[in-house]
Amino acid sequence: MIDSVLMVEVFVTLFVIMDPVGTVPIFLSLTAGRSPATARRAAWQAVAVSFLVITLFALFGQQILSYLHISLPALQCAGGLLLLLVALELLTGKEGEVTATADANIALVPLGTPLLAGPGAIVATMLFVKRVDSWPDGVSVALGVIGVHVALWAAMRFSLPILRLIRDGGVLLVTRIAGLLLSAIAVQLVADAVRAFIAGEG
């Protein structure tokens, strides 16, 4: 029997961190001007990349960071800086430079990582894995992670009709809002990393 309490805890925690609803405006701004088929492909590719990264760090995260001598605050700061670059392009009207790249690049960066599979989600998953003492616990954590990624895919997949309704003016507004939200997320990641460094955790 799986541990339903642990599964729900994993799902809720990652849902709050990865924020499927908050991802929608950023997804819409990055896929603006693309065909529906391309946007749908970007949605599932981003979720697949995120799931792969989360799974990789769940299984080997501590060993990878230890081998490379990378602390969690350093990983968090790097993710924040990467997101800040994308946010600045969205805010300054240079989103075309982001969307002009290949489809796979958008799914990989910034959608798949660090937006979805960011430092917060990676660290939270690693902490849940440390609590696994049996196969039922492992299955519970896995189902929680899978559930969140299904929610992420659904949020991005069904946001496409919104894109058709709001048209160019709405896309511009959504892009600016997404840039503002993304910059706030990025600054928070960097600030948390700096506090961790000052506290001697880096």
Side-chain angles (χ1 to χ4, degrees), residues 80-81 83-84 181-194:
L81 292 175
L83 283 180
L84 187 59
L181 294 175
L182 201 56
S183 62
I185 294 171
V187 170
Q188 187 64 58
L189 286 173
V190 174
D192 290 344
V194 169

Side-chain angles (χ1 to χ4, degrees), residues 120-200:
I122 289 173
V123 172
T125 304
M126 289 170 62
L127 292 176
F128 278 121
V129 169
K130 284 186 177 181
R131 293 168 50 182
V132 172
D133 294 323
S134 61
W135 278 107
D137 288 346
V139 172
S140 301
V141 172
L143 289 176
V145 172
I146 292 171
V148 170
H149 283 84
V150 170
L152 286 165
W153 174 82
M156 290 187 288
R157 170 65 179 82
F158 295 106
S159 68
L160 296 179
I162 299 175
L163 186 61
R164 288 195 293 271
L165 285 175
I166 61 178
R167 301 185 183 279
D168 292 342
V171 168
L172 182 61
L173 176 62
V174 167
T175 298
R176 296 298 180 265
I177 294 174
L180 181 62
L181 294 175
L182 201 56
S183 62
I185 294 171
V187 170
Q188 187 64 58
L189 286 173
V190 174
D192 290 344
V194 169
R195 277 199 294 268
F197 279 124
I198 293 175

Side-chain angles (χ1 to χ4, degrees), residues 83-105:
L83 283 180
L84 187 59
L85 290 175
V86 177
L88 291 175
E89 290 178 334
L90 295 177
L91 283 170
T92 56
K94 297 180 179 178
E95 64 274 6
E97 296 178 8
V98 181
T99 57
T101 55
D103 298 339
N105 289 340

Side-chain angles (χ1 to χ4, degrees), residues 57-75:
F57 274 92
L59 297 175
F60 310 109
Q62 197 57 57
Q63 293 89 332
I64 292 173
L65 295 182
S66 298
Y67 178 76
L68 296 175
H69 304 290
I70 298 174
S71 65
L72 290 178
L75 178 67

